[in-house]
Amino acid sequence: MPAASAPAPEPATAFPFIGGRPALNFVATLGKRHTTPLERLPDPAALARWITEAGLHTGADDGPVRIGEADLGHARTLREAVYRLVRAAMLEEAPDPDDVTRVNEAAALPDLAPQFAEPYAGPRPVLRWTAARPGPAALATVARDAVLLIGGPLLGRVKECENPTCSLLFLDDSQARRRRWCSMDRCGNLAKVAGYRSRGRAATR
């Protein structure tokens, strides 16, 4: 049986932050899981960029987040464990004990601590996040969010986008709880265009 091909790296682009939770946004760093997977974390710099854009950074005063190859490997392993646990919980299936251990171990590490940026002036303080090791701390924050999401009351609102070429998970925050797409700007719009074209072809037959 041939070995599975590695996910194709994706050019540096905007990460999809449409999951509604840090853990779901982190899972989305591997896209198109059901077709040809797109690896959005091809190198340590991409992981550092995701941490910064996700708001899980230590602040401009501390410089860019330092990420090593070991951090990247840990991040990818954690990401896939979180994904499998979320999917198992959505399907009411028994989780893989190894995935439970991985997420628990990551969640037990020191996470990011909120701090007031100094000097503190004005009625609305600027907040920043600090940690001795910001990379692992950011991942610990993500792992804790995954534990709280899977073990909490919002799990029933987690859905997978209905676009068959998309695999993004999202928290349905719509009032009617009938959201079908990860985003109307992404898959929802594609579905509308496809439906319009299909109806147009049917009308011309």
Side-chain angles (χ1 to χ4, degrees):
M1 182 176 182
S5 58
E10 186 178 62
T13 184
F15 291 110
F17 291 103
I18 52 181
R21 293 287 293 246
L24 300 181
N25 288 333
F26 187 55
V27 163
T29 59
L30 183 65
K32 300 187 177 181
R33 292 173 178 270
H34 306 317
T35 54
T36 302
L38 286 173
E39 180 56 80
R40 296 186 173 110
L41 299 179
D43 51 43
L47 176 57
R49 186 166 63 89
W50 184 86
I51 290 173
T52 298
E53 293 184 13
L56 304 175
H57 56 85
T58 57
D61 294 343
D62 296 332
V65 180
R66 294 183 179 87
I67 297 294
E69 289 291 344
D71 294 324
L72 177 62
H74 171 60
R76 289 176 175 172
T77 299
L78 175 65
R79 177 188 67 194
E80 296 313 296
V82 169
Y83 173 74
R84 288 189 294 266
L85 287 180
V86 172
R87 290 294 296 158
M90 290 171 64
L91 298 173
E92 298 184 349
E93 296 177 350
D96 186 326
D98 290 339
D99 290 336
V100 175
T101 297
R102 289 188 185 97
V103 173
N104 278 343
E105 288 178 348
L109 296 175
D111 65 352
L112 299 168
Q115 301 279 291
F116 292 124
E118 298 182 11
Y120 181 172
R124 294 182 63 85
V126 175
L127 300 182
R128 56 197 294 269
W129 298 90
T130 62
R133 299 180 62 205
L139 296 179
T141 299
V142 169
R144 293 186 184 193
D145 181 66
V147 172
L148 293 173
L149 176 62
I150 295 170
L154 296 181
L155 175 65
R157 289 167 53 185
V158 177
K159 297 180 179 178
E160 183 178 66
C161 180
E162 291 189 14
N163 181 346
T165 64
C166 181
S167 60
L168 292 185
L169 302 178
F170 61 89
L171 188 68
D172 184 358
D173 57 359
S174 65
Q175 185 173 4
R177 303 289 185 265
R178 294 179 181 174
R179 182 175 159 191
R180 301 172 57 194
W181 318 110
C182 60
S183 168
M184 283 304 300
D185 293 335
R186 291 167 58 96
C187 295
N189 187 56
L190 291 175
K192 288 174 64 176
V193 171
Y196 175 80
R197 289 176 177 172
S198 178
R199 291 190 295 272
R201 287 192 297 267
T204 58
R205 290 173 184 172

